[in-house]
């Protein structure tokens, strides 16, 4: 079974995906407030890579051999181990601080993504489709990535994949944990702003080239009435 | 009938076919839905966003039409190649198919342009608060960033997919490329040391936003968005030329000269964008309301 997996699983793609997942999550750990969308991207990539494991480009041939689909699927499942190990390691390494106190929820997301990708691919293979994983990954990975980038919608209908909890009293996370941070505009690219004092300090120097009392007064007088 | 006329009509027929194929692609419609939804939210949510969403609307078309467009175009190109292989010795050369595929970017470009127009109209109908756009940033400056980040990236994404399909026609390349594209883009937002002036060489970036150390003040980042738009246009043309160059039957010496010329122009425009007009970081003295 191991020898079959060595030959059958697209290891180059799986290793590449696992490496990318590690890189993405390490970047999230480095600066979660700014780079959080990469977490969603990593989850989508896990789902796509898991689905890849079960693609059989030579399905017309192998479906006729004595080794049944169940046996081949079991053998190919070994590819998932690499993805799950990579995800578990990198999430545990990131820790609660970088994952906004939701390390285990994030861990569960990744494992669920792997399971979902594998389940879909196995189901389609059982229906005779040769490379369902490729189609699944092509649709899911960029879609989840785009969704993660537009994570500002998370407060109303997005998944926890897409955003850390930001609104006071509400949370997109499982468990309904409230965020201590102030509310932010609904459809704003949230990762642009970290709440004051939270997260690592910005590397941008706080230079105030543009600053004068008169211009400040002029700007205030020109501004429209404050909205609430 | 001359060969030029034949080639021209073939290109027209193929272009219409590829435009139809692009319009039928589910990923395109998903991206279109995200873009339209975001534009609707600009209006619905304007009281909460103080005009920030309008000035930074580019994320929606860039992600939904650009990144998804990369994958869409990669798939269309591979399908075109498979059809050509199945047909055997076909009369349509690869370069004609490449140009037809490149012409299909009119689909995402049109939608992105409409989104851009809506964002611009809404910019004037409900102007952003002065903590967002202050006198140091002109309206044209904002529109240049909107056009570059919105429309140009909706064109560039699919062209990148075409380029990848020509030179790296492997399984999973589009998916991995989309992830890598997002990974690099998010690191090139200008959030790091000194506002990253070199980021203007990348396909997508911000030129202003809530980037001060305390995040309470909007900041204008180094870089000239007007020249950046020209840079992106040249890079898009360079992408098409490079994709056409892949055809061994194309006029490669001419295309090589053209490609190197465009590359030189792109480098010059990139350097100019980095150095001309807006070289320093400037903070808005007015604090934001977030």
């Amino acid at each position: 079974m191991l020898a079959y997996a060595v030959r059958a699983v697209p290891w180059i793609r799986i290793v590449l995906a696992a490496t990318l997942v590690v890189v993405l999550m390490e970047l999230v750990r480095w600066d979660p407030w700014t780079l959080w969308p990469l977490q969603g991207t990593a989850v989508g990539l896990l789902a796509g890579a898991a689905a890849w494991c079960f693609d059989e480009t030579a399905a017309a041939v192998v479906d006729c051999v004595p080794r049944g689909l169940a046996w081949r699927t079991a053998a190919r499942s070994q590819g998932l181990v690499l993805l799950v190990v990579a995800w578990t390691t990198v999430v545990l390494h990131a820790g609660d601080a970088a994952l906004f106190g939701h390390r285990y929820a994030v861990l569960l997301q990744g494992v669920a993504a792997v399971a979902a990708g594998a389940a879909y691919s196995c189901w389609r293979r059982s229906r005779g489709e040769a490379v369902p994983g490729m189609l699944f990954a092509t649709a899911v990975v960029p879609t989840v990535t785009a969704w993660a980038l537009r994570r500002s919608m998370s407060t109303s209908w997005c998944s926890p994949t897409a955003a850390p909890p930001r609104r006071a009293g509400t949370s997109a996370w499982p468990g309904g944990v409230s965020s201590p941070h102030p509310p932010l505009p609904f459809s704003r690219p949230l990762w642009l702003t970290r709440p004051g004092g939270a997260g690592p300090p910005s590397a941008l120097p706080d230079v105030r080239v543009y600053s004068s009392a008169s211009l400040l007064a002029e700007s205030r007088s020109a501004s429209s009435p404050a909205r609430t | 009938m001359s060969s030029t006329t034949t080639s021209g009509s073939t290109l027209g027929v193929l272009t219409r076919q590829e435009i139809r194929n692009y319009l039928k692609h589910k990923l395109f419609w998903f991206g279109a839905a995200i873009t339209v939804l975001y534009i609707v939210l600009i209006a619905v949510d304007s009281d909460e966003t103080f005009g920030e969403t309008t000035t930074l609307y580019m994320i929606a078309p860039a992600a939904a039409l650009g990144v998804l467009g990369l994958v869409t175009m990669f798939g269309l190109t591979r399908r075109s190649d498979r059809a050509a292989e199945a047909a055997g010795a076909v009369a349509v050369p690869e370069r004609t198919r490449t140009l037809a595929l490149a012409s299909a970017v009119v689909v995402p470009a049109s939608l992105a342009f409409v989104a851009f127009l809506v964002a611009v109209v809404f910019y004037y109908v409900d102007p952003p608060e002065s903590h967002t756009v202050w006198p140091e940033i002109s309206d044209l400056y904002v529109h240049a960033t909107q056009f570059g980040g919105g429309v140009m990236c909706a064109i560039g994404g699919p062209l990148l997919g075409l380029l990848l399909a020509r030179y790296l026609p492997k399984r999973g390349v589009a998916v991995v490329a989309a992830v890598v594209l997002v990974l690099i883009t998010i690191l090139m937002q200008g959030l790091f040391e000194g506002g990253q002036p070199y980021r203007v060489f990348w396909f997508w970036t911000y030129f202003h936003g809530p980037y001060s150390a305390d995040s309470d003040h909007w900041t204008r980042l180094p870089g000239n968005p007007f020249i950046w738009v020209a840079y992106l246009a040249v890079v898009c043309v360079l992408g098409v030329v490079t994709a056409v160059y892949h055809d061994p039957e194309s006029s490669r010496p001419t295309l090589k000269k053209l490609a190197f010329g465009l590359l030189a122009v792109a480098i010059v425009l990139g350097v100019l964008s980095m150095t001309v007009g807006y070289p320093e970081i400037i903070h808005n003295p007015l604090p934001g309301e977030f």
Side-chain angles (χ1 to χ4, degrees):
Chain A
M1 196 173 268
L2 184 62
Y4 180 86
V6 167
R7 288 170 177 80
V9 175
W11 285 109
I12 292 177
R13 256 183 286 153
I14 302 302
V15 169
L16 184 60
T19 307
L20 269 175
V21 163
V22 170
V23 171
L24 291 167
M25 289 306 291
E26 280 298 296
L27 284 168
V28 169
R29 185 175 74 88
W30 176 49
D31 189 349
W33 284 107
T34 305
L35 304 177
W36 184 259
L38 298 181
Q39 187 268 346
T41 305
V43 171
L45 188 56
L46 276 176
W52 276 337
C53 291
F54 301 96
D55 278 354
E56 292 186 310
T57 47
V61 176
V62 294
D63 280 346
C64 305
V65 298
R67 297 286 189 197
L69 180 62
W71 186 91
R72 298 198 309 272
T73 301
R76 285 172 173 272
S77 298
Q78 294 171 75
L80 303 181
V81 175
L82 176 64
L83 296 171
V84 173
V85 167
W87 179 251
T88 305
T89 306
V90 77
V91 168
L92 294 179
H93 182 237
D96 263 344
L99 301 176
F100 303 97
H102 296 279
R103 178 171 53 175
Y104 292 109
V106 170
L107 184 61
L108 188 62
Q109 274 181 14
V111 175
V114 169
Y120 175 84
S121 200
C122 290
W123 171 58
R124 296 306 302 172
R125 268 302 292 128
S126 70
R127 296 295 185 94
E129 203 173 317
V131 285
M134 184 51 63
L135 294 173
F136 179 82
T138 302
V140 165
V141 177
T143 301
V144 172
T145 299
W147 192 295
L149 287 169
R150 282 300 316 123
R151 70 203 184 102
S152 53
M153 297 172 185
S154 62
T155 49
S156 60
W157 51 268
C158 194
S159 70
T161 298
R166 298 293 291 267
R167 275 183 188 273
T170 63
S171 174
W173 290 93
V177 181
S178 297
S179 163
H181 305 304
L184 283 165
F186 170 61
S187 55
R188 178 178 179 199
L190 294 183
W191 69 90
L192 289 174
T193 309
R194 76 187 83 226
S202 168
L204 269 182
D206 192 18
V207 290
R208 294 179 185 276
V209 179
Y210 177 89
S211 177
S212 73
S214 59
L215 205 43
L216 178 63
E218 179 190 326
S219 301
R220 280 186 172 147
S221 65
S223 65
S224 55
R227 303 176 202 183
T228 55
Chain B
M1 185 183 289
S2 71
S3 61
T4 308
T5 310
T6 306
S7 175
S9 62
T10 306
L11 179 60
V13 170
L14 271 180
T15 298
R16 284 191 288 279
Q17 181 61 46
E18 295 302 347
I19 287 173
R20 275 196 294 274
N21 289 341
Y22 205 106
L23 280 167
K24 286 178 190 169
H25 209 286
K26 288 174 186 169
L27 266 185
F28 166 70
W29 285 107
F30 178 77
I34 288 184
T35 305
V36 171
L37 179 64
Y38 188 81
I39 292 299
V40 170
L41 287 176
I42 285 178
V44 172
D45 203 30
S46 62
D47 284 348
E48 283 189 53
T49 60
F50 319 113
E52 297 171 11
T53 314
T54 316
T55 58
L56 300 177
Y57 94 102
M58 307 81 79
I59 184 68
L65 299 176
V67 176
L68 296 186
L70 184 158
V71 180
T72 304
M73 184 59 87
F74 188 92
L76 290 179
T77 309
R78 295 293 297 136
R79 191 163 78 174
S80 168
D81 289 348
R82 279 196 297 272
E85 284 168 15
V90 290
V92 183
E94 183 189 296
R95 59 185 175 279
T96 307
R97 290 189 290 113
T98 300
L99 288 173
L101 285 159
S103 304
V105 298
V106 71
V107 176
S110 301
L111 182 59
F113 191 69
V114 170
F116 166 72
L117 288 180
V118 172
V120 169
V121 167
F122 204 77
Y123 179 88
Y124 291 105
V125 170
D126 190 5
E129 305 264 341
S130 40
H131 77 263
T132 303
V133 177
W134 72 108
E136 200 67 33
I137 291 179
S138 68
D139 293 340
L140 274 180
Y141 179 99
V142 174
H143 300 330
T145 64
Q146 288 175 317
F147 190 84
V151 181
M152 295 308 296
C153 290
I155 296 170
L159 289 181
L160 184 58
L162 172 62
L163 205 56
L164 286 170
R166 280 283 165 262
Y167 288 92
L168 288 171
K170 305 286 183 194
R171 287 177 184 279
V173 164
V175 170
V176 172
V179 172
V180 172
L181 183 69
V182 169
L183 171 63
I184 298 175
T185 301
I186 211 162
L187 292 171
M188 287 286 187
Q189 293 181 95
L191 292 166
F192 302 110
E193 193 64 50
Q196 299 171 281
Y198 53 84
R199 80 192 188 291
V200 296
F201 281 98
W202 192 239
F203 310 129
W204 196 89
T205 188
Y206 280 118
F207 284 84
H208 64 286
Y211 291 131
S212 62
D214 56 9
S215 295
D216 286 340
H217 295 264
W218 275 54
T219 301
R220 195 190 76 189
L221 297 170
N224 187 320
F226 304 102
I227 301 175
W228 183 64
V229 170
Y231 165 79
L232 289 180
V234 172
V235 168
C236 286
V237 177
L238 176 60
V240 174
V241 170
T242 311
V244 173
Y245 181 85
H246 182 265
D247 183 2
E249 294 176 7
S250 62
S251 176
R252 284 190 159 181
T254 309
L255 287 174
K256 188 182 276 187
K257 284 177 193 167
L258 185 60
F260 277 109
L262 287 167
L263 182 64
V265 172
I267 291 170
V268 169
L269 286 173
V271 171
L272 289 176
S273 176
M274 203 165 62
T275 53
V276 172
Y278 308 93
E280 72 270 294
I281 299 170
I282 296 182
H283 291 286
N284 188 341
L286 287 175
E289 301 180 35
F290 33 81

